[in-house]
Amino acid sequence: MSNNSILNIEQIKKEKSGIDVLADIYIYAIFGEKITPSDLERFKWYGLYAQDEKQEFFELKIPLDMGELNLEQIQTLSQISKDYANNSLNLLNSQKIELKNLKLHNLPNIFNMLHKVELNTSFEAGHTVRRVLTCPVNGIDETQLFDVTDLAKRLNKTFIGNKNFDNLPNKLQMAISGYEEGCDVQFTPDVSFNATRDSKEKIIFAVKIMDRTIGYVTPPQILNTAKAIASIYKDYGDRENPGNNSFEALVKNWGYDKFYDILNASINYKIQKNIFIKNNPVPRKPRMGINNSKIKDESYIGCRFNSNTLESSTFDSLHQLLTKHEASKIKITHKANIIVLDAPSKNANSLAKELEKIGFNPFS
Protein backbone atom coordinates (compact mmCIF):
# COMPACT_ATOMS: atom_id res chain seq x y z
CA MET A 1 0.00 0.00 0.00
CA SER A 2 1.00 3.59 -0.53
CA ASN A 3 2.47 5.55 2.35
CA ASN A 4 0.58 8.64 1.17
CA SER A 5 -1.50 9.49 4.26
CA ILE A 6 -3.64 12.05 2.43
CA LEU A 7 -4.58 10.37 -0.83
CA ASN A 8 -3.71 6.95 -2.16
CA ILE A 9 -3.06 8.05 -5.75
CA GLU A 10 -2.59 4.52 -7.06
CA GLN A 11 -5.98 3.50 -5.66
CA ILE A 12 -7.57 6.60 -7.15
CA LYS A 13 -6.18 5.70 -10.57
CA LYS A 14 -7.41 2.11 -10.25
CA GLU A 15 -10.93 3.31 -9.53
CA LYS A 16 -11.03 5.51 -12.65
CA SER A 17 -8.48 6.72 -15.16
CA GLY A 18 -7.71 10.43 -15.15
CA ILE A 19 -8.28 10.49 -18.90
CA ASP A 20 -11.91 9.42 -18.41
CA VAL A 21 -13.06 12.31 -16.22
CA LEU A 22 -13.94 15.03 -18.72
CA ALA A 23 -17.61 14.06 -18.51
CA ASP A 24 -17.36 14.22 -14.70
CA ILE A 25 -16.06 17.80 -14.92
CA TYR A 26 -19.16 18.67 -16.96
CA ILE A 27 -21.46 16.95 -14.44
CA TYR A 28 -19.95 18.84 -11.51
CA ALA A 29 -20.26 22.06 -13.52
CA ILE A 30 -23.95 21.44 -14.19
CA PHE A 31 -24.98 20.39 -10.68
CA GLY A 32 -22.57 22.61 -8.75
CA GLU A 33 -21.66 20.00 -6.16
CA LYS A 34 -18.37 20.19 -4.31
CA ILE A 35 -15.74 18.07 -6.00
CA THR A 36 -14.42 15.12 -4.02
CA PRO A 37 -10.66 14.99 -3.24
CA SER A 38 -10.29 11.92 -5.46
CA ASP A 39 -11.89 13.63 -8.43
CA LEU A 40 -9.86 16.77 -7.86
CA GLU A 41 -6.76 14.63 -8.17
CA ARG A 42 -8.03 13.06 -11.39
CA PHE A 43 -8.98 16.45 -12.83
CA LYS A 44 -5.29 17.36 -12.92
CA TRP A 45 -5.09 15.07 -15.98
CA TYR A 46 -7.09 17.86 -17.69
CA GLY A 47 -5.14 20.75 -16.18
CA LEU A 48 -7.86 21.73 -13.70
CA TYR A 49 -7.07 22.78 -10.12
CA ALA A 50 -9.11 24.26 -7.27
CA GLN A 51 -7.69 27.59 -6.09
CA ASP A 52 -9.26 27.44 -2.64
CA GLU A 53 -10.69 24.90 -0.22
CA LYS A 54 -14.24 26.16 -0.74
CA GLN A 55 -13.81 25.61 -4.49
CA GLU A 56 -15.11 29.06 -5.31
CA PHE A 57 -12.50 29.51 -8.02
CA PHE A 58 -10.50 27.24 -10.30
CA GLU A 59 -7.45 27.55 -12.49
CA LEU A 60 -6.88 25.87 -15.82
CA LYS A 61 -3.48 25.24 -17.37
CA ILE A 62 -3.40 24.83 -21.14
CA PRO A 63 -0.30 23.11 -22.54
CA LEU A 64 0.71 24.22 -26.03
CA ASP A 65 1.97 21.81 -28.65
CA MET A 66 5.49 22.99 -29.55
CA GLY A 67 4.73 26.06 -27.39
CA GLU A 68 2.92 27.65 -30.35
CA LEU A 69 -0.23 29.73 -30.79
CA ASN A 70 -1.80 30.86 -34.07
CA LEU A 71 -3.97 33.93 -34.58
CA GLU A 72 -7.26 32.14 -34.00
CA GLN A 73 -5.99 30.58 -30.79
CA ILE A 74 -4.69 33.93 -29.51
CA GLN A 75 -8.09 35.48 -30.19
CA THR A 76 -9.95 32.65 -28.43
CA LEU A 77 -7.73 32.75 -25.34
CA SER A 78 -8.27 36.49 -25.11
CA GLN A 79 -12.04 35.99 -25.34
CA ILE A 80 -12.02 33.31 -22.63
CA SER A 81 -9.98 35.66 -20.46
CA LYS A 82 -12.54 38.44 -20.92
CA ASP A 83 -15.58 36.26 -20.38
CA TYR A 84 -14.40 34.05 -17.54
CA ALA A 85 -10.95 34.95 -16.11
CA ASN A 86 -11.07 38.58 -15.01
CA ASN A 87 -9.43 39.84 -18.21
CA SER A 88 -6.06 38.26 -17.52
CA LEU A 89 -3.98 35.23 -18.38
CA ASN A 90 -0.52 34.01 -17.45
CA LEU A 91 2.36 32.83 -19.60
CA LEU A 92 4.19 29.92 -17.96
CA ASN A 93 7.80 28.88 -18.58
CA SER A 94 6.51 25.34 -19.12
CA GLN A 95 5.07 26.59 -22.44
CA LYS A 96 1.56 26.74 -21.06
CA ILE A 97 -1.19 29.34 -20.70
CA GLU A 98 -2.82 29.64 -17.28
CA LEU A 99 -6.31 30.99 -16.68
CA LYS A 100 -7.30 31.74 -13.09
CA ASN A 101 -10.40 32.74 -11.11
CA LEU A 102 -12.67 30.52 -13.18
CA LYS A 103 -16.10 29.47 -11.99
CA LEU A 104 -16.95 25.78 -12.14
CA HIS A 105 -20.19 26.28 -14.09
CA ASN A 106 -18.31 28.00 -16.92
CA LEU A 107 -15.92 25.14 -17.61
CA PRO A 108 -18.02 23.39 -20.31
CA ASN A 109 -18.09 26.61 -22.34
CA ILE A 110 -14.35 27.09 -21.85
CA PHE A 111 -13.51 23.54 -22.93
CA ASN A 112 -15.77 23.89 -25.98
CA MET A 113 -14.10 27.17 -27.00
CA LEU A 114 -10.67 25.58 -26.69
CA HIS A 115 -11.74 22.53 -28.67
CA LYS A 116 -12.92 24.67 -31.59
CA VAL A 117 -9.40 26.07 -32.07
CA GLU A 118 -7.63 22.74 -31.48
CA LEU A 119 -6.40 23.48 -27.99
CA ASN A 120 -6.88 20.88 -25.27
CA THR A 121 -5.70 20.29 -21.75
CA SER A 122 -5.45 16.49 -21.60
CA PHE A 123 -2.23 15.15 -20.05
CA GLU A 124 -1.38 18.63 -18.73
CA ALA A 125 -0.47 16.98 -15.46
CA GLY A 126 -1.04 13.71 -13.67
CA HIS A 127 1.00 10.55 -14.06
CA THR A 128 1.35 10.87 -17.81
CA VAL A 129 3.82 11.44 -20.60
CA ARG A 130 3.76 15.21 -21.02
CA ARG A 131 3.94 17.13 -24.30
CA VAL A 132 7.44 16.95 -25.67
CA LEU A 133 9.54 20.09 -25.20
CA THR A 134 11.23 21.66 -28.22
CA CYS A 135 13.57 24.59 -28.76
CA PRO A 136 12.06 28.08 -29.16
CA VAL A 137 13.24 28.68 -32.74
CA ASN A 138 13.13 25.12 -34.00
CA GLY A 139 12.77 25.08 -37.77
CA ILE A 140 13.70 28.73 -38.33
CA ASP A 141 17.24 29.01 -36.94
CA GLU A 142 19.89 28.23 -39.56
CA THR A 143 22.38 27.14 -36.87
CA GLN A 144 20.12 24.21 -35.98
CA LEU A 145 21.32 20.81 -37.19
CA PHE A 146 17.88 19.27 -37.71
CA ASP A 147 14.28 20.46 -37.77
CA VAL A 148 12.50 18.23 -35.24
CA THR A 149 8.96 19.46 -35.96
CA ASP A 150 7.71 16.24 -37.53
CA LEU A 151 9.33 14.08 -34.85
CA ALA A 152 7.85 16.20 -32.06
CA LYS A 153 4.38 16.01 -33.62
CA ARG A 154 4.66 12.23 -33.88
CA LEU A 155 5.72 11.98 -30.23
CA ASN A 156 2.80 14.10 -29.09
CA LYS A 157 0.34 12.20 -31.27
CA THR A 158 1.62 8.92 -29.83
CA PHE A 159 1.48 9.85 -26.16
CA ILE A 160 -1.04 12.65 -25.52
CA GLY A 161 -4.44 11.20 -24.67
CA ASN A 162 -3.21 7.63 -25.14
CA LYS A 163 -4.64 5.32 -22.46
CA ASN A 164 -1.56 3.13 -22.67
CA PHE A 165 0.36 5.99 -21.06
CA ASP A 166 -2.20 7.64 -18.78
CA ASN A 167 -1.16 5.70 -15.68
CA LEU A 168 2.58 5.90 -15.05
CA PRO A 169 4.04 5.86 -11.54
CA ASN A 170 4.52 9.64 -11.94
CA LYS A 171 5.04 12.12 -14.76
CA LEU A 172 7.49 11.57 -17.62
CA GLN A 173 8.90 14.60 -19.43
CA MET A 174 10.67 14.26 -22.78
CA ALA A 175 12.45 16.84 -24.91
CA ILE A 176 13.73 16.78 -28.48
CA SER A 177 16.22 19.21 -29.95
CA GLY A 178 17.89 19.89 -33.27
CA TYR A 179 20.94 21.17 -31.39
CA GLU A 180 23.78 19.10 -29.95
CA GLU A 181 23.52 20.78 -26.57
CA GLY A 182 19.74 20.42 -26.38
CA CYS A 183 17.22 23.07 -25.34
CA ASP A 184 17.65 25.46 -22.45
CA VAL A 185 14.50 24.47 -20.57
CA GLN A 186 15.61 25.56 -17.07
CA PHE A 187 15.52 21.99 -15.74
CA THR A 188 16.74 18.55 -16.79
CA PRO A 189 14.08 16.56 -18.69
CA ASP A 190 13.75 12.86 -17.87
CA VAL A 191 14.55 11.92 -21.47
CA SER A 192 16.14 14.03 -24.21
CA PHE A 193 16.89 13.36 -27.86
CA ASN A 194 19.52 15.77 -29.16
CA ALA A 195 20.67 15.94 -32.78
CA THR A 196 24.34 15.53 -33.59
CA ARG A 197 26.51 14.32 -36.49
CA ASP A 198 28.62 11.21 -36.70
CA SER A 199 31.99 11.02 -38.46
CA LYS A 200 30.25 10.59 -41.83
CA GLU A 201 28.17 13.77 -41.32
CA LYS A 202 25.03 11.69 -40.81
CA ILE A 203 22.44 13.09 -38.39
CA ILE A 204 21.88 10.88 -35.37
CA PHE A 205 20.33 11.65 -31.98
CA ALA A 206 21.94 11.29 -28.59
CA VAL A 207 19.62 9.50 -26.16
CA LYS A 208 20.04 11.35 -22.89
CA ILE A 209 18.60 9.98 -19.65
CA MET A 210 18.53 12.89 -17.21
CA ASP A 211 22.10 14.20 -17.40
CA ARG A 212 23.82 11.27 -19.12
CA THR A 213 23.99 10.21 -22.78
CA ILE A 214 23.51 6.44 -22.95
CA GLY A 215 23.84 6.01 -26.72
CA TYR A 216 22.66 7.11 -30.16
CA VAL A 217 19.74 6.35 -32.47
CA THR A 218 18.69 7.39 -35.95
CA PRO A 219 15.74 9.77 -36.45
CA PRO A 220 13.34 6.93 -37.47
CA GLN A 221 14.21 5.06 -34.25
CA ILE A 222 13.27 7.90 -31.90
CA LEU A 223 9.56 7.12 -31.59
CA ASN A 224 10.03 3.45 -30.74
CA THR A 225 12.83 4.33 -28.32
CA ALA A 226 10.56 6.82 -26.57
CA LYS A 227 7.71 4.29 -26.38
CA ALA A 228 10.05 1.65 -24.95
CA ILE A 229 11.33 4.05 -22.29
CA ALA A 230 7.78 5.03 -21.27
CA SER A 231 6.75 1.37 -21.12
CA ILE A 232 9.74 0.45 -18.95
CA TYR A 233 8.84 3.22 -16.52
CA LYS A 234 5.18 2.16 -16.54
CA ASP A 235 6.05 -1.48 -15.79
CA TYR A 236 8.94 -1.09 -13.36
CA GLY A 237 8.54 2.29 -11.65
CA ASP A 238 7.84 2.24 -7.91
CA ARG A 239 4.10 2.51 -7.22
CA GLU A 240 4.30 1.70 -3.51
CA ASN A 241 6.36 4.64 -2.24
CA PRO A 242 5.29 8.13 -3.41
CA GLY A 243 8.68 9.55 -2.50
CA ASN A 244 10.43 7.09 -4.80
CA ASN A 245 8.07 6.94 -7.79
CA SER A 246 9.83 9.29 -10.21
CA PHE A 247 11.55 8.18 -13.39
CA GLU A 248 14.80 9.52 -11.96
CA ALA A 249 14.43 7.30 -8.90
CA LEU A 250 13.96 4.22 -11.09
CA VAL A 251 17.12 4.93 -13.09
CA LYS A 252 19.17 5.73 -10.01
CA ASN A 253 17.96 2.55 -8.32
CA TRP A 254 18.93 0.43 -11.32
CA GLY A 255 21.94 2.38 -12.51
CA TYR A 256 22.41 3.64 -16.07
CA ASP A 257 23.99 0.42 -17.32
CA LYS A 258 21.07 -1.76 -16.25
CA PHE A 259 18.59 0.72 -17.69
CA TYR A 260 20.51 0.67 -20.99
CA ASP A 261 20.47 -3.14 -21.07
CA ILE A 262 16.73 -3.37 -20.36
CA LEU A 263 15.99 -0.69 -22.94
CA ASN A 264 18.00 -2.53 -25.59
CA ALA A 265 16.17 -5.76 -24.75
CA SER A 266 12.87 -3.94 -25.35
CA ILE A 267 13.56 -2.88 -28.95
CA ASN A 268 14.57 -4.68 -32.15
CA TYR A 269 17.65 -2.56 -32.84
CA LYS A 270 20.61 -1.57 -30.73
CA ILE A 271 21.20 1.84 -29.21
CA GLN A 272 24.75 2.44 -30.36
CA LYS A 273 27.36 3.45 -27.83
CA ASN A 274 30.71 3.48 -29.58
CA ILE A 275 30.10 6.12 -32.22
CA PHE A 276 32.61 8.81 -33.08
CA ILE A 277 30.77 12.11 -32.90
CA LYS A 278 31.88 15.06 -34.97
CA ASN A 279 31.40 17.71 -32.33
CA ASN A 280 31.45 21.09 -33.99
CA PRO A 281 28.64 23.17 -32.50
CA VAL A 282 27.87 26.46 -34.19
CA PRO A 283 27.19 29.36 -31.81
CA ARG A 284 23.49 29.97 -31.58
CA LYS A 285 22.03 33.19 -32.83
CA PRO A 286 20.40 35.44 -30.25
CA ARG A 287 16.76 34.70 -29.55
CA MET A 288 15.62 38.22 -28.66
CA GLY A 289 15.24 41.08 -31.12
CA ILE A 290 14.90 40.83 -34.89
CA ASN A 291 16.64 37.84 -36.50
CA ASN A 292 16.72 36.48 -40.03
CA SER A 293 14.84 33.23 -40.36
CA LYS A 294 16.17 30.41 -42.50
CA ILE A 295 12.83 30.67 -44.30
CA LYS A 296 13.24 33.04 -47.22
CA ASP A 297 11.98 36.60 -46.70
CA GLU A 298 10.95 35.93 -43.11
CA SER A 299 12.28 37.04 -39.73
CA TYR A 300 11.60 36.03 -36.17
CA ILE A 301 11.27 38.54 -33.35
CA GLY A 302 12.02 37.65 -29.74
CA CYS A 303 10.32 39.78 -27.10
CA ARG A 304 10.79 39.93 -23.37
CA PHE A 305 7.79 40.76 -21.25
CA ASN A 306 8.13 42.46 -17.88
CA SER A 307 5.38 40.38 -16.30
CA ASN A 308 4.13 36.90 -17.06
CA THR A 309 0.58 38.15 -16.48
CA LEU A 310 -1.08 39.74 -19.50
CA GLU A 311 -4.36 41.58 -19.72
CA SER A 312 -6.73 40.39 -22.39
CA SER A 313 -6.48 43.81 -24.04
CA THR A 314 -2.74 43.25 -24.49
CA PHE A 315 -3.40 39.89 -26.12
CA ASP A 316 -5.94 41.63 -28.37
CA SER A 317 -3.34 44.22 -29.33
CA LEU A 318 -0.84 41.46 -30.07
CA HIS A 319 -3.39 39.78 -32.35
CA GLN A 320 -4.07 43.05 -34.16
CA LEU A 321 -0.38 43.79 -34.72
CA LEU A 322 0.37 40.30 -36.01
CA THR A 323 -2.54 40.55 -38.43
CA LYS A 324 -1.55 44.05 -39.55
CA HIS A 325 2.04 43.01 -40.26
CA GLU A 326 1.15 39.63 -41.85
CA ALA A 327 2.57 37.37 -39.12
CA SER A 328 0.55 34.34 -38.12
CA LYS A 329 2.03 32.58 -35.08
CA ILE A 330 3.99 32.99 -31.89
CA LYS A 331 5.82 30.70 -29.52
CA ILE A 332 6.07 30.93 -25.74
CA THR A 333 9.62 30.13 -24.72
CA HIS A 334 10.93 28.20 -21.73
CA LYS A 335 11.52 31.54 -20.01
CA ALA A 336 7.94 32.73 -20.68
CA ASN A 337 9.08 35.17 -23.36
CA ILE A 338 7.34 35.42 -26.74
CA ILE A 339 8.81 34.89 -30.19
CA VAL A 340 6.95 35.96 -33.31
CA LEU A 341 7.91 33.12 -35.62
CA ASP A 342 7.04 34.25 -39.14
CA ALA A 343 7.15 38.01 -39.59
CA PRO A 344 7.75 39.08 -43.21
CA SER A 345 11.23 40.63 -43.20
CA LYS A 346 9.92 43.76 -44.89
CA ASN A 347 7.59 44.33 -41.90
CA ALA A 348 9.82 43.12 -39.08
CA ASN A 349 11.20 46.47 -37.93
CA SER A 350 7.84 48.24 -37.88
CA LEU A 351 6.23 45.26 -36.11
CA ALA A 352 8.97 45.22 -33.46
CA LYS A 353 8.53 48.95 -32.78
CA GLU A 354 4.79 48.56 -32.36
CA LEU A 355 5.23 45.52 -30.13
CA GLU A 356 7.44 47.61 -27.88
CA LYS A 357 4.63 50.14 -27.47
CA ILE A 358 2.27 47.51 -26.01
CA GLY A 359 4.77 46.21 -23.47
CA PHE A 360 6.75 43.63 -25.41
CA ASN A 361 10.46 44.35 -25.50
CA PRO A 362 12.33 43.22 -28.61
CA PHE A 363 15.12 45.75 -28.17
CA SER A 364 16.02 45.29 -24.49
Side-chain angles (χ1 to χ4, degrees):
M1 292 293 293
S2 167
N3 293 325
N4 191 327
S5 59
I6 300 174
L7 288 173
N8 186 327
I9 306 302
E10 287 301 316
Q11 183 60 39
I12 287 172
K13 291 188 294 181
K14 286 179 182 178
E15 292 169 358
K16 178 180 279 193
S17 165
I19 202 63
D20 289 334
V21 299
L22 186 58
D24 295 339
I25 295 174
Y26 279 54
I27 291 169
Y28 277 112
I30 292 168
F31 291 101
E33 296 179 357
K34 190 170 183 179
I35 302 170
T36 67
S38 294
D39 278 339
L40 272 179
E41 185 65 31
R42 295 186 190 100
F43 289 177
K44 293 178 182 178
W45 268 245
Y46 280 91
L48 184 64
Y49 304 80
Q51 286 180 220
D52 56 90
E53 289 188 5
K54 293 183 179 180
Q55 299 181 12
E56 292 185 11
F57 297 100
F58 292 81
E59 65 183 35
L60 185 68
K61 294 181 181 179
I62 306 163
L64 308 177
D65 289 347
M66 311 280 287
E68 294 184 11
L69 288 170
N70 61 34
L71 289 174
E72 189 178 24
Q73 291 167 339
I74 292 170
Q75 195 170 40
T76 294
L77 288 169
S78 177
Q79 191 62 52
I80 293 173
S81 171
K82 291 174 192 172
D83 293 345
Y84 306 116
N86 292 346
N87 288 301
S88 69
L89 49 81
N90 298 323
L91 309 180
L92 304 183
N93 57 15
S94 49
Q95 294 187 307
K96 300 174 184 178
I97 296 288
E98 181 184 57
L99 297 165
K100 303 189 79 170
N101 302 313
L102 305 176
K103 289 290 190 178
L104 182 62
H105 66 268
N106 290 322
L107 286 170
N109 286 340
I110 293 170
F111 279 118
N112 288 337
M113 291 173 74
L114 293 173
H115 177 72
K116 287 179 181 178
V117 293
E118 298 183 347
L119 291 173
N120 74 80
T121 62
S122 64
F123 280 34
E124 185 280 323
H127 294 179
T128 64
V129 181
R130 307 294 170 81
R131 282 162 180 76
V132 65
L133 300 174
T134 58
C135 301
V137 290
N138 173 70
I140 57 177
D141 179 8
E142 63 185 14
T143 68
Q144 186 182 39
L145 294 179
F146 191 89
D147 183 350
V148 301
T149 300
D150 289 343
L151 290 170
K153 288 180 177 179
R154 289 179 66 195
L155 286 166
N156 282 336
K157 185 176 181 180
T158 296
F159 290 116
I160 304 306
N162 186 338
K163 278 199 168 185
N164 290 323
F165 300 103
D166 71 343
N167 180 11
L168 305 180
N170 208 318
K171 70 178 179 70
L172 185 65
Q173 181 67 69
M174 298 186 184
I176 186 166
S177 172
Y179 300 94
E180 290 181 300
E181 65 272 37
C183 300
D184 182 13
V185 298
Q186 309 302 299
F187 67 92
T188 303
D190 297 308
V191 182
S192 301
F193 299 97
N194 298 334
T196 188
R197 286 193 178 100
D198 65 15
S199 58
K200 296 180 180 179
E201 296 290 332
K202 181 181 177 181
I203 294 292
I204 55 176
F205 279 78
V207 181
K208 197 171 184 180
I209 303 300
M210 273 88 74
D211 58 355
R212 184 177 300 185
T213 296
I214 64 168
Y216 300 87
V217 295
T218 64
Q221 293 170 339
I222 286 176
L223 183 58
N224 282 338
T225 304
K227 288 168 66 177
I229 290 170
S231 295
I232 289 169
Y233 180 41
K234 177 182 177 180
D235 293 341
Y236 297 105
D238 190 343
R239 295 178 181 270
E240 299 298 319
N241 304 294
N244 198 46
N245 65 1
S246 68
F247 178 75
E248 180 180 7
L250 171 65
V251 176
K252 287 188 174 179
N253 181 49
W254 279 357
Y256 287 93
D257 289 340
K258 180 178 177 180
F259 184 86
Y260 172 84
D261 290 341
I262 292 176
L263 176 57
N264 266 302
S266 304
I267 52 182
N268 60 3
Y269 50 89
K270 186 176 177 61
I271 296 177
Q272 300 297 320
K273 274 190 173 182
N274 299 319
I275 293 181
F276 179 78
I277 301 302
K278 187 175 181 181
N279 194 331
N280 187 27
V282 178
R284 291 190 189 186
K285 288 185 175 181
R287 299 291 185 254
M288 299 297 104
I290 302 172
N291 302 275
N292 290 328
S293 170
K294 76 174 188 179
I295 299 172
K296 186 179 179 182
D297 298 326
E298 289 189 2
S299 299
Y300 61 90
I301 306 171
C303 302
R304 291 185 175 87
F305 203 75
N306 293 332
S307 170
N308 290 354
T309 300
L310 279 72
E311 295 182 355
S312 57
S313 59
T314 302
F315 233 42
D316 283 338
S317 296
L318 173 63
H319 180 274
Q320 292 164 6
L321 290 180
L322 294 175
T323 303
K324 174 182 176 181
H325 294 281
E326 303 174 79
S328 68
K329 55 186 177 181
I330 65 171
K331 176 171 282 194
I332 298 175
T333 76
H334 305 299
K335 297 180 181 178
N337 294 317
I338 283 179
I339 295 179
V340 179
L341 296 174
D342 62 346
S345 295
K346 63 182 181 180
N347 301 336
N349 192 57
S350 56
L351 173 55
K353 288 180 179 178
E354 292 198 57
L355 286 169
E356 188 175 33
K357 291 179 182 178
I358 63 169
F360 297 87
N361 300 296
F363 303 115
S364 63

